């Protein structure tokens, strides 16, 4: 299997676990232990996995940029789950909204089953019958595992974290290792260092994003971008927690670098 068709991500919480200390393991305990393997497919630039919620088969988005896991209000109403208002608000790229939550009785992910799994509720997802994703798996759930996004085999594989450091890439001896930081927030994110046109920037590896994006204020300040003179086409985008949409600009920068890798255009 070509390694160019495989992409592995260390679980988001691994670096946090290392910060607080990892228990010493015997040599025989170094091997990877798979917790679950989920069918995966790509639709409209979204990574979807097939799961079962309260005996209903649905699709969820794998979103490493989301701090919390979300479930669609339509599915909550279909399952007749109790809804509770939460203190505070949820925020996405397009704004914020009052937070509500529900508890799923049974969540089955491959061979793994969880009971009484909490989710925040989001209006912008389906009910499991309309062919739309029914929710998001975010860092609060994914961060408990090491995970592998295997595009070639169309699988999302979850592994237990009780293995020796760096014993993750099992399909080849040569691979690209990208350092990242989980940040200081309540839930971890994949914070990485990138550069665009030679300017260093802080980025997030977000598998839930439709497009690669730079904040407009950052492009103006760091890259001397001026949307009034660039002549770029506009596009509208939205996100979770809000029905609002914002306007962006589609611009081609000359180059970008991700650690040692290099691409000619962005």
């Amino acid at each position: 299997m070509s390694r160019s068709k495989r992409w592995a991500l260390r679980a988001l919480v691994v670096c946090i676990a290392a910060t607080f200390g990892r228990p010493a393991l015997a040599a025989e305990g170094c091997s990877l232990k798979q917790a679950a393997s989920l069918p995966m497919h790509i639709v409209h630039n979204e990574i979807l996995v097939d799961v079962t919620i309260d005996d209903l088969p649905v699709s969820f988005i794998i979103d490493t940029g989301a701090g919390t896991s979300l479930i669609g209000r339509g599915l909550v109403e279909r399952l007749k789950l109790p809804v509770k208002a939460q203190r505070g608000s949820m925020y996405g790229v397009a704004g914020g909204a009052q937070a509500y939550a529900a508890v799923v009785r049974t969540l089955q992910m491959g061979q793994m089953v969880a009971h009484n799994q909490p989710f925040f509720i989001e209006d912008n997802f389906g009910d499991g019958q309309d062919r739309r994703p029914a929710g998001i798996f975010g860092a609060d759930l994914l961060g408990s595992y090491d995970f592998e996004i295997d595009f070639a085999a169309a699988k999302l594989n979850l592994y237990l974290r009780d293995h020796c450091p760096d014993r993750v890439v099992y399909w080849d001896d040569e691979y690209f290792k990208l350092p990242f930081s989980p940040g200081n927030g309540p839930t971890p994110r994949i914070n990485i260092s990138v550069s665009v046109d030679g300017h260093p920037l802080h980025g997030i590896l977000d598998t839930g994003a439709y497009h690669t994006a730079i904040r407009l204020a950052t492009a103006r300040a760091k890259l001397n971008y001026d949307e009034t003179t660039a002549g770029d086409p506009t596009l509208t985008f939205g996100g979770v927690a809000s029905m609002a949409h914002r306007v962006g600009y589609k611009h081609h920068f000359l180059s970008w670098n991700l650690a040692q890798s290099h691409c000619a255009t962005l």
Side-chain angles (χ1 to χ4, degrees), residues 103-107 114-118:
V103 175
V104 169
R105 291 178 288 269
T106 303
L107 167 64
H115 298 284
N116 300 319
Q117 177 68 40

PDB file of all heavy atoms in Angstrom, residues 103-107 114-118:
ATOM      1  N   VAL A 103     -27.986  13.592  25.931  1.00  0.00           N
ATOM      2  CA  VAL A 103     -27.202  12.404  26.234  1.00  0.00           C
ATOM      3  C   VAL A 103     -27.731  11.240  25.400  1.00  0.00           C
ATOM      4  O   VAL A 103     -28.921  10.916  25.460  1.00  0.00           O
ATOM      5  CB  VAL A 103     -27.253  12.046  27.734  1.00  0.00           C
ATOM      6  CG1 VAL A 103     -26.529  10.731  28.004  1.00  0.00           C
ATOM      7  CG2 VAL A 103     -26.637  13.171  28.563  1.00  0.00           C
ATOM      8  N   VAL A 104     -26.832  10.648  24.591  1.00  0.00           N
ATOM      9  CA  VAL A 104     -27.179   9.495  23.762  1.00  0.00           C
ATOM     10  C   VAL A 104     -27.064   8.234  24.613  1.00  0.00           C
ATOM     11  O   VAL A 104     -26.072   8.034  25.305  1.00  0.00           O
ATOM     12  CB  VAL A 104     -26.231   9.415  22.544  1.00  0.00           C
ATOM     13  CG1 VAL A 104     -26.388   8.089  21.817  1.00  0.00           C
ATOM     14  CG2 VAL A 104     -26.491  10.580  21.602  1.00  0.00           C
ATOM     15  N   ARG A 105     -28.061   7.397  24.549  1.00  0.00           N
ATOM     16  CA  ARG A 105     -28.057   6.191  25.386  1.00  0.00           C
ATOM     17  C   ARG A 105     -26.963   5.220  24.959  1.00  0.00           C
ATOM     18  O   ARG A 105     -26.248   4.676  25.795  1.00  0.00           O
ATOM     19  CB  ARG A 105     -29.434   5.526  25.336  1.00  0.00           C
ATOM     20  CG  ARG A 105     -30.546   6.331  26.035  1.00  0.00           C
ATOM     21  CD  ARG A 105     -31.898   5.643  25.921  1.00  0.00           C
ATOM     22  NE  ARG A 105     -32.423   5.731  24.560  1.00  0.00           N
ATOM     23  CZ  ARG A 105     -33.206   6.726  24.131  1.00  0.00           C
ATOM     24  NH1 ARG A 105     -33.530   7.718  24.955  1.00  0.00           N
ATOM     25  NH2 ARG A 105     -33.662   6.750  22.896  1.00  0.00           N
ATOM     26  N   THR A 106     -26.838   4.970  23.637  1.00  0.00           N
ATOM     27  CA  THR A 106     -25.835   4.025  23.144  1.00  0.00           C
ATOM     28  C   THR A 106     -25.184   4.581  21.886  1.00  0.00           C
ATOM     29  O   THR A 106     -25.865   4.944  20.935  1.00  0.00           O
ATOM     30  CB  THR A 106     -26.473   2.662  22.820  1.00  0.00           C
ATOM     31  OG1 THR A 106     -27.125   2.148  23.977  1.00  0.00           O
ATOM     32  CG2 THR A 106     -25.402   1.668  22.390  1.00  0.00           C
ATOM     33  N   LEU A 107     -23.870   4.644  21.904  1.00  0.00           N
ATOM     34  CA  LEU A 107     -23.084   5.046  20.737  1.00  0.00           C
ATOM     35  C   LEU A 107     -22.163   3.892  20.372  1.00  0.00           C
ATOM     36  O   LEU A 107     -21.325   3.478  21.172  1.00  0.00           O
ATOM     37  CB  LEU A 107     -22.250   6.291  21.055  1.00  0.00           C
ATOM     38  CG  LEU A 107     -21.142   6.653  20.060  1.00  0.00           C
ATOM     39  CD1 LEU A 107     -21.721   6.998  18.699  1.00  0.00           C
ATOM     40  CD2 LEU A 107     -20.291   7.807  20.591  1.00  0.00           C
ATOM     41  N   ALA A 114     -20.204   2.821  23.607  1.00  0.00           N
ATOM     42  CA  ALA A 114     -20.208   3.740  24.744  1.00  0.00           C
ATOM     43  C   ALA A 114     -21.648   3.997  25.159  1.00  0.00           C
ATOM     44  O   ALA A 114     -22.551   4.054  24.321  1.00  0.00           O
ATOM     45  CB  ALA A 114     -19.524   5.056  24.381  1.00  0.00           C
ATOM     46  N   HIS A 115     -21.868   4.147  26.450  1.00  0.00           N
ATOM     47  CA  HIS A 115     -23.208   4.401  26.977  1.00  0.00           C
ATOM     48  C   HIS A 115     -23.260   5.785  27.620  1.00  0.00           C
ATOM     49  O   HIS A 115     -22.278   6.275  28.179  1.00  0.00           O
ATOM     50  CB  HIS A 115     -23.588   3.333  27.999  1.00  0.00           C
ATOM     51  CG  HIS A 115     -23.647   1.947  27.433  1.00  0.00           C
ATOM     52  ND1 HIS A 115     -24.687   1.503  26.645  1.00  0.00           N
ATOM     53  CD2 HIS A 115     -22.769   0.907  27.512  1.00  0.00           C
ATOM     54  CE1 HIS A 115     -24.465   0.255  26.285  1.00  0.00           C
ATOM     55  NE2 HIS A 115     -23.312  -0.136  26.792  1.00  0.00           N
ATOM     56  N   ASN A 116     -24.431   6.401  27.507  1.00  0.00           N
ATOM     57  CA  ASN A 116     -24.674   7.719  28.118  1.00  0.00           C
ATOM     58  C   ASN A 116     -23.631   8.741  27.678  1.00  0.00           C
ATOM     59  O   ASN A 116     -23.017   9.428  28.490  1.00  0.00           O
ATOM     60  CB  ASN A 116     -24.707   7.595  29.644  1.00  0.00           C
ATOM     61  CG  ASN A 116     -25.798   6.652  30.121  1.00  0.00           C
ATOM     62  OD1 ASN A 116     -26.910   6.663  29.594  1.00  0.00           O
ATOM     63  ND2 ASN A 116     -25.475   5.817  31.094  1.00  0.00           N
ATOM     64  N   GLN A 117     -23.467   8.836  26.363  1.00  0.00           N
ATOM     65  CA  GLN A 117     -22.479   9.743  25.784  1.00  0.00           C
ATOM     66  C   GLN A 117     -23.096  11.126  25.580  1.00  0.00           C
ATOM     67  O   GLN A 117     -24.096  11.278  24.869  1.00  0.00           O
ATOM     68  CB  GLN A 117     -21.995   9.197  24.437  1.00  0.00           C
ATOM     69  CG  GLN A 117     -21.015  10.088  23.708  1.00  0.00           C
ATOM     70  CD  GLN A 117     -19.679  10.170  24.417  1.00  0.00           C
ATOM     71  OE1 GLN A 117     -19.188   9.175  24.928  1.00  0.00           O
ATOM     72  NE2 GLN A 117     -19.096  11.356  24.439  1.00  0.00           N
ATOM     73  N   PRO A 118     -22.533  12.183  26.186  1.00  0.00           N
ATOM     74  CA  PRO A 118     -23.100  13.534  26.017  1.00  0.00           C
ATOM     75  C   PRO A 118     -22.658  14.176  24.705  1.00  0.00           C
ATOM     76  O   PRO A 118     -21.540  13.970  24.229  1.00  0.00           O
ATOM     77  CB  PRO A 118     -22.533  14.293  27.223  1.00  0.00           C
ATOM     78  CG  PRO A 118     -21.240  13.604  27.519  1.00  0.00           C
ATOM     79  CD  PRO A 118     -21.429  12.151  27.159  1.00  0.00           C
TER      80      PRO A 118
END
